[in-house]
């Protein structure tokens, strides 16, 4: 089964051709056009600009994905079994570009159309090239817009069992970077400076930051207080500009401590076999390594997506669609709508 998948929920325009063969998912092509350079001067994504960029990028991106998969324009129908697209959650005007393009393609080519939840897509990035994941699992999904603990049963049904009450983990990294004037998106910058601090042996400059809700007896998160604690720590330190790597290291440690602690509690509570990571923040090396060692020390299996599939991309949407196509009756394609607040 081969799927042409589209993703345009935020500021990346992406198209991919994904194949499923006896349950093993492989990526034939995955093209991502990033808009970071357009939005970084505003310190965040400007929805109107993002939608306009998607409109001009989406057809060239689809053409490149098909070309890289060696599928000629007049051969799409013979090489593709279905079209998949992110239908939500995300920025509504960005989502609409992908959804309406996918509807037009499915209609013209008379192919089934599959709407995919963006978070479900991030989760299914774990199954690209890996059909050995042992279920049930707990998945820590951490991105710029979401922070959830999700349980997955043996049939890959998903249930949210914990979530952030305010900021998402990626949003917290982005806001921390903004407070220190480091640029956008902040996660990769904060984590690079944090690891430079560790490798320079700079442990003596540890800034005391809270671990919000680490002791609460539930599986929820809160990161807005941590951001405020960082703001006050910076305000009270006249020399903070000389200690930015130390601040990044302490901030990253606080976020990772909370994420790992809650994920371990969820894994124990639901008696799962495996802990999985998903979402843009799953590119964070410290989170990957601390969660892996905590999981393995308690007898859980651990897996995380390949780095290429951690940030927004259409291959993960294709991977989720392969699963959906094998389990669901398809709804009427013309009814698919962009759903900015779509629940998992
Ligand atoms: O999943 P994603 O690409 O987009 C959303 O669905 O939101 O996630 C983007 C988020 C941003 O907040 C970005 O700062 C964060 O992921 N991020 C990271 C790292 N790489 C990306 N956060 C921490 N460490 C990283 N290495
Ligand atoms: Zn995402």
């Amino acid at each position: 089964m081969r799927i042409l998948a589209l993703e345009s929920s935020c500021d990346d325009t992406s198209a991919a051709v994904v194949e499923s063969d006896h349950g093993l998912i492989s990526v034939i092509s995955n093209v991502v056009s990033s808009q970071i350079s357009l939005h970084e001067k505003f310190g965040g994504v400007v929805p109107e600009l993002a939608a306009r960029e998607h409109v001009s990028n989406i057809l060239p991106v689809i053409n490149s994905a098909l070309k890289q998969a060696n599928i000629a324009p007049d051969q799409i129908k013979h090489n593709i079994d279905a079209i998949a697209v992110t239908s939500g959650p995300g920025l509504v005007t960005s989502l609409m570009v992908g959804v309406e393009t996918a509807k037009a393609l499915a209609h013209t080519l008379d192919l089934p159309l599959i709407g995919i939840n963006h978070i479900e897509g991030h989760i299914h990035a774990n199954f690209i090239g890996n059909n050995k994941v042992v279920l049930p699992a707990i998945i820590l999904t951490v991105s710029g817009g979401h922070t959830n603990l999700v349980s997955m049963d043996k049939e890959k049904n998903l249930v949210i069992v914990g979530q952030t009450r305010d900021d998402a983990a990626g949003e917290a990294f982005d806001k921390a970077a903004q407070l220190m004037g480091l640029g956008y998106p902040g996660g990769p910058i904060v984590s690079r400076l944090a690891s430079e601090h560790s490798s320079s042996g700079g442990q003596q400059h540890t800034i005391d930051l809270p671990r919000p809700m680490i002791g609460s007896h539930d599986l929820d998160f809160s990161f807005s207080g941590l951001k405020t604690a960082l703001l006050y720590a910076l305000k009270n330190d006249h020399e903070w500009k000389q200690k930015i790597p130390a601040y990044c290291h302490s901030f990253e440690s606080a976020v990772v401590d909370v994420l790992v602690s809650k994920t371990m509690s969820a894994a124990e509570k639901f008696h799962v076999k495996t802990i999985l990571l998903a979402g843009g923040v799953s590119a964070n090396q410290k989170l990957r390594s601390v969660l892996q060692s905590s999981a393995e020390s308690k007898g859980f299996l651990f897996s995380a997506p390949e780095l290429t599939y951690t940030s927004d991309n259409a291959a993960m949407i294709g991977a989720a669609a392969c699963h959906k196509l094998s389990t669901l009756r398809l709804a009427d394609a013309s009814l698919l709508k962009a759903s900015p607040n779509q629940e998992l």
Side-chain angles (χ1 to χ4, degrees):
M1 181 200 326
R2 270 186 173 191
I3 293 193
L4 171 62
L6 309 183
E7 152 66 38
S8 70
S9 64
C10 188
D11 60 341
D12 290 308
T13 321
S14 181
V17 177
V18 172
E19 188 171 76
S20 170
D21 188 8
H22 295 93
L24 180 63
I25 292 165
S26 47
V27 177
I28 316 288
S29 65
N30 181 45
V31 177
V32 182
S33 169
S34 166
Q35 300 180 10
I36 286 180
S37 57
L38 177 71
H39 299 284
E40 64 185 349
K41 53 182 170 291
F42 302 103
V45 178
V46 182
E48 160 95 21
L49 291 181
R52 285 167 183 245
E53 275 298 289
H54 285 309
V55 169
S56 42
N57 290 341
I58 196 141
L59 292 180
V61 164
I62 293 171
N63 283 336
S64 303
L66 290 169
K67 198 169 176 196
Q68 286 180 25
N70 283 324
I71 300 174
D74 59 348
Q75 293 299 310
I76 303 174
K77 180 139 175 85
H78 305 292
N79 287 277
I80 297 288
D81 299 292
I83 310 285
V85 64
T86 308
S87 51
L91 300 171
V92 67
T93 43
S94 288
L95 288 164
M96 282 166 69
V97 179
V99 168
E100 296 308 318
T101 306
K103 275 159 83 169
L105 280 172
H107 177 76
T108 319
L109 297 166
D110 191 24
L111 288 172
L113 176 63
I114 309 159
I116 296 293
N117 180 289
H118 182 76
I119 308 298
E120 192 168 4
H122 273 302
I123 290 171
H124 278 264
N126 279 285
F127 302 106
I128 295 174
N130 181 6
N131 59 358
K132 301 266 183 299
V133 176
V134 184
L135 299 175
I138 275 288
I139 308 124
L140 173 65
T141 59
V142 266
S143 70
H146 299 271
T147 294
N148 296 315
L149 279 164
V150 180
S151 76
M152 177 182 263
D153 67 15
K154 288 185 175 170
E155 281 74 47
K156 298 193 176 152
N157 297 309
L158 300 172
V159 177
I160 293 179
V161 297
Q163 58 201 314
T164 182
R165 296 188 182 174
D166 41 55
D167 294 350
E171 190 181 356
F173 272 105
D174 294 339
K175 286 179 174 171
Q178 202 174 23
L179 288 176
M180 294 183 273
L182 298 179
Y184 176 85
I189 307 170
V190 170
S191 90
R192 179 175 46 78
L193 290 170
S195 62
E196 277 173 28
H197 177 74
S198 311
S199 54
S200 72
Q203 301 297 349
Q204 65 275 22
H205 289 306
T206 299
I207 289 98
D208 192 22
L209 292 173
R211 269 71 178 149
M213 293 185 69
I214 203 163
S216 68
H217 297 289
D218 56 31
L219 298 173
D220 286 348
F221 304 92
S222 166
F223 292 108
S224 73
L226 177 59
K227 172 197 65 194
T228 312
L230 175 66
L231 172 70
Y232 283 108
L234 294 169
K235 275 193 167 169
N236 292 327
D237 182 353
H238 298 300
E239 290 172 358
W240 69 267
K241 283 190 179 157
Q242 282 89 62
K243 298 183 213 156
I244 287 177
Y247 275 93
C248 290
H249 182 263
S250 300
F251 186 85
E252 179 182 67
S253 300
V255 175
V256 169
D257 280 356
V258 179
L259 292 174
V260 170
S261 161
K262 295 277 173 152
T263 307
M264 295 310 299
S265 302
E268 281 162 10
K269 179 170 176 185
F270 291 96
H271 306 291
V272 299
K273 297 270 188 239
T274 302
I275 293 177
L276 300 174
L277 250 180
V281 184
S282 71
N284 185 282
Q285 289 300 341
K286 181 163 183 165
L287 177 60
R288 286 169 94 96
S289 67
V290 176
L291 189 55
Q292 175 160 19
S293 51
S294 303
E296 290 173 356
S297 72
K298 297 268 177 176
F300 297 106
L301 298 164
F302 173 82
S303 184
E306 268 179 50
L307 282 180
T308 335
Y309 305 120
T310 54
S311 55
D312 291 349
N313 66 87
M316 68 187 195
I317 302 303
C322 289
H323 169 65
K324 208 162 182 179
L325 199 57
S326 65
T327 56
L328 275 189
R329 234 188 72 230
L330 294 169
D332 182 347
S334 63
L335 299 178
L336 188 70
K337 282 202 176 101
S339 317
N341 304 313
Q342 188 181 103
E343 306 228 329
L344 190 61

